[in-house]
Amino acid sequence: MNAPICELTILGNGYCGSRLYANHSNARITSRTPTLDEHIYFQLDDQTSWHNIPTSKQVLWTFACCNSDLENRFFTFLKQRCEQVFIYSTTSVYEHKFEGQVIDEMSAIDRTKARASAEENYRQQGACLLTLCGIAGPDRSPINWLNKGRIKNANKEVNLIHVDDIVSITKLLLTQKLARIRLNLAPGKTYSWRDIAHTNNYIFSDEALAHKASKKLIANAHLRNYLRQDYVFINPIQ
C-alpha cells in the first residue's frame, strides 16, 4: 500500500459517520450524492468510484454489509488502501434464543442473515467489528418512536446508546491496533419502555401494557477493557 494520505476515511455520510467526521481532525468521508466539495463520491456498485477512496491508516465502513460478490471484491480492494478496516455492525446479527439472555461477543451469530455472514467473513480477514445497539441522539429520540406508534410492548426493555458515545468510543478504538475481533458498543444496561414513557408523559394503551415482559442484555465487558475505568455513558433517554 502507498503511504497513507489521511488518518481515517469514513465510508458513508449517515447519522453516525457524519458526526464522527465532524469530530475528527484528519478524516475524509464518502457520499453517494456529494453535496459538499469535501465529500468523496463513492458508491459500491460503481467500481470506478472505488479509486476515489484515499489511502488511509483506517477505514470505517458504516453501511450494512450485503455479502454480494461485488462487495467481497471491494473488501479485498479496500485492504490494499488502508492499514485497518473497522465495520459498524448491529446487535440484530446475534441469535436471540430466550428471554433475559445476556449477549456478549461470544454469543451465536445468525448466519442466515447475509449481513452477519459477510461481517464474519471480513472479520476473519482482519476487520474489526463494532456492534451497535439502538442509537439515540438528536433527531432520534426514543419518545419519537413512542409517538409514532412503533412500540407495541410497554413491558419490553431496550438496549440504547447515545450517538455521542458512539463517536467518542470509535475515536478511541481507531487509535488501537485491533483486528479480527468484535466489540459491543453498548452501555451494558437496558432501559424500560415504561420508564421512558413515564419520563416523557406518554401513556401506553391497555393492549401495550398487557404484553409479557421482554428483555435481552447486550453486555459490554469486553469493550470496558478498552475504555477508561471511570468512563460514564450518556443517558440515552433524556
Side-chain angles (χ1 to χ4, degrees), residues 87-116:
I87 300 175
Y88 277 154
S89 179
T90 171
T91 54
S92 65
V93 301
Y94 288 116
E95 291 184 359
H96 183 195
K97 297 182 177 180
F98 54 87
E99 290 300 329
Q101 181 180 1
V102 177
I103 294 176
D104 63 17
E105 290 84 354
M106 298 303 294
S107 297
I109 300 298
D110 185 354
R111 293 183 178 273
T112 65
K113 296 179 178 178
R115 179 172 189 169

Side-chain angles (χ1 to χ4, degrees), residues 1 16 87 93 144 189 192-193 210 212 216:
M1 146 181 164
C16 294
I87 300 175
V93 301
N144 291 339
K189 63 176 292 185
S192 164
W193 280 115
K212 292 182 179 180
K216 64 179 178 181

Side-chain angles (χ1 to χ4, degrees), residues 209-221:
L209 291 168
H211 283 281
K212 292 182 179 180
S214 176
K215 176 182 177 179
K216 64 179 178 181
L217 173 66
I218 306 301
N220 71 354

Side-chain angles (χ1 to χ4, degrees), residues 217-238:
L217 173 66
I218 306 301
N220 71 354
H222 193 17
L223 174 67
R224 283 287 185 182
N225 293 327
Y226 297 89
L227 303 181
R228 301 187 317 270
Q229 288 186 346
D230 61 348
Y231 188 90
V232 178
F233 284 83
I234 298 168
N235 186 338
I237 67 173
Q238 289 182 338

Side-chain angles (χ1 to χ4, degrees), residues 68-98:
S68 66
D69 289 340
L70 180 65
E71 184 185 84
N72 292 331
R73 292 199 300 274
F74 172 67
F75 182 79
T76 299
F77 171 86
L78 199 59
K79 290 196 300 178
Q80 300 170 356
R81 298 186 79 82
C82 68
E83 297 174 5
Q84 291 176 283
V85 178
F86 292 79
I87 300 175
Y88 277 154
S89 179
T90 171
T91 54
S92 65
V93 301
Y94 288 116
E95 291 184 359
H96 183 195
K97 297 182 177 180
F98 54 87

